[in-house]
Amino acid sequence: MVVPHSSYYYPEVVNGARAAAEALGVKLTLGVSHNAVAEEQALVARMLQPPSGIGGLVLTTVEDPRTSPGTEAWLRELPVPVVLAERRIGPAAGFVEDVATDHEYGAYLAVRHLAGQGRRRIALLQIDTLTAPMLQVGYQNAMAALELRPCSPEVPGLLMENDLADLDQKCAQLVRAVKEGQVDAVLVHNDSIALPLVSRLQAAGVQIPADLAVVTYDDELAALASPPLTGVAPPRHAVGAEAVRLLVRRLQDPGRPAHSLRLRPFLNVRD
């Protein structure tokens, strides 16, 4: 198993994979690519060197196979069965299988919850990740289904990761938008952004949730915020477990149809 990093989100995916491996009586070996394509491919190459006995791979690739032809070709050429965890296969993936969170549904769930609380000017604020396009689709589908108007372009929609100056700037824009009645709720991806954002908003006089309702996506840290935030929780443990189960089934029955699974996230509602 190879994952991009070990400090956020993926530890629970790995825990799920480990639990399934133990239950099935198979050995799990873990590598961390540190979000580097070269390291990812080098790790896999080392894992497959004889006499490792590696029978199959569970991978969370650095790049999205659906938009990276190089990644898709590399996956297709690997000599053992492959299951992607929290990545989706592309159209030319061959017999590569995948298990991933239905992030579109997660965003839809959050917007529907906020609308049910009487919010009508709902924004999506997120960092640029491989998950972002899927959240955007779910957000737009929900806004259309609920007949809600998109927020003004003055309401920020994108944050730079690990950039405090950008966070301060976008927070100031959001404060103005709240005071001018342009936004009354926001879905924030992810928790590592949501917590400092909420702190800055409160320091600027915005009351959470009276002035602005906040739902965070990932639900890693949302319960620790002040006030605790409602969070969309991807089924990380189940993703890891199902990936291992799919791989073992493939090894036991090489001729079975290739599977592509979508697991729906949960909404943990907090005051």
Side-chain angles (χ1 to χ4, degrees):
M1 182 176 193
V2 177
V3 296
H5 49 82
S6 57
S7 60
Y8 183 87
Y9 196 96
Y10 289 102
E12 190 60 19
V13 177
V14 173
N15 286 339
R18 180 190 295 119
E22 291 176 354
L24 292 166
V26 299
K27 179 181 178 182
L28 183 71
T29 301
L30 179 67
V32 180
S33 67
H34 302 288
N35 270 320
V37 173
E39 177 64 14
E40 172 181 78
Q41 296 188 7
L43 272 171
V44 169
R46 288 196 294 271
M47 285 180 169
L48 295 177
Q49 285 180 350
S52 68
I54 296 293
L57 294 164
V58 174
L59 300 178
T60 304
T61 53
V62 174
E63 296 181 342
D64 187 341
R66 298 173 299 171
T67 57
S68 171
T71 297
E72 188 176 57
W74 173 67
L75 291 171
R76 194 170 57 245
E77 294 166 2
L78 289 170
V80 297
V82 176
V83 175
L84 301 181
E86 287 296 23
R87 295 290 183 265
R88 301 182 186 182
I89 56 174
F95 282 96
V96 175
E97 300 179 275
D98 68 0
V99 181
T101 297
D102 188 344
H103 293 299
E104 293 89 343
Y105 175 80
Y108 192 105
L109 192 64
V111 173
R112 189 175 65 187
H113 167 75
L114 289 166
Q117 300 298 308
R119 309 292 172 156
R120 289 296 179 266
R121 296 174 297 279
I122 303 171
L124 171 64
L125 181 60
Q126 57 183 335
I127 54 178
D128 186 14
T129 66
L130 297 184
T131 306
M134 293 175 277
L135 295 181
Q136 187 70 38
V137 169
Y139 166 78
Q140 291 174 344
N141 288 345
M143 295 292 283
L146 297 168
E147 299 182 343
L148 299 175
R149 294 171 56 186
C151 287
S152 163
E154 297 176 5
V155 178
L158 185 66
L159 284 165
M160 302 298 293
E161 192 170 10
N162 300 320
D163 188 332
L164 292 180
D166 181 71
L167 179 61
D168 289 336
Q169 178 186 351
K170 299 299 171 56
C171 181
Q173 293 176 10
L174 195 54
V175 169
R176 288 195 297 270
V178 171
K179 292 181 177 179
E180 294 171 2
Q182 297 175 342
V183 60
D184 61 5
V186 61
L187 169 60
V188 183
H189 179 240
N190 54 32
D191 289 28
S192 63
I193 294 292
L195 268 63
L197 177 69
V198 164
S199 179
R200 283 163 170 76
L201 289 170
Q202 291 172 320
V206 175
Q207 296 184 26
I208 309 293
D211 298 329
L212 184 71
V214 178
V215 171
T216 183
Y217 200 94
D218 279 354
D219 204 30
E220 287 262 339
L221 308 167
L224 302 178
S226 180
L229 301 175
T230 292
V232 179
R236 296 179 291 271
H237 191 278
V239 167
E242 288 298 334
V244 168
R245 293 185 189 118
L246 268 186
L247 183 57
V248 171
R249 293 189 195 114
R250 169 65 58 189
L251 293 171
Q252 293 171 340
D253 183 8
R256 71 192 296 268
H259 283 53
S260 183
L261 302 183
R262 297 293 168 268
L263 306 185
R264 287 187 167 183
F266 306 95
L267 183 71
N268 291 321
V269 179
R270 302 183 178 95
D271 293 336

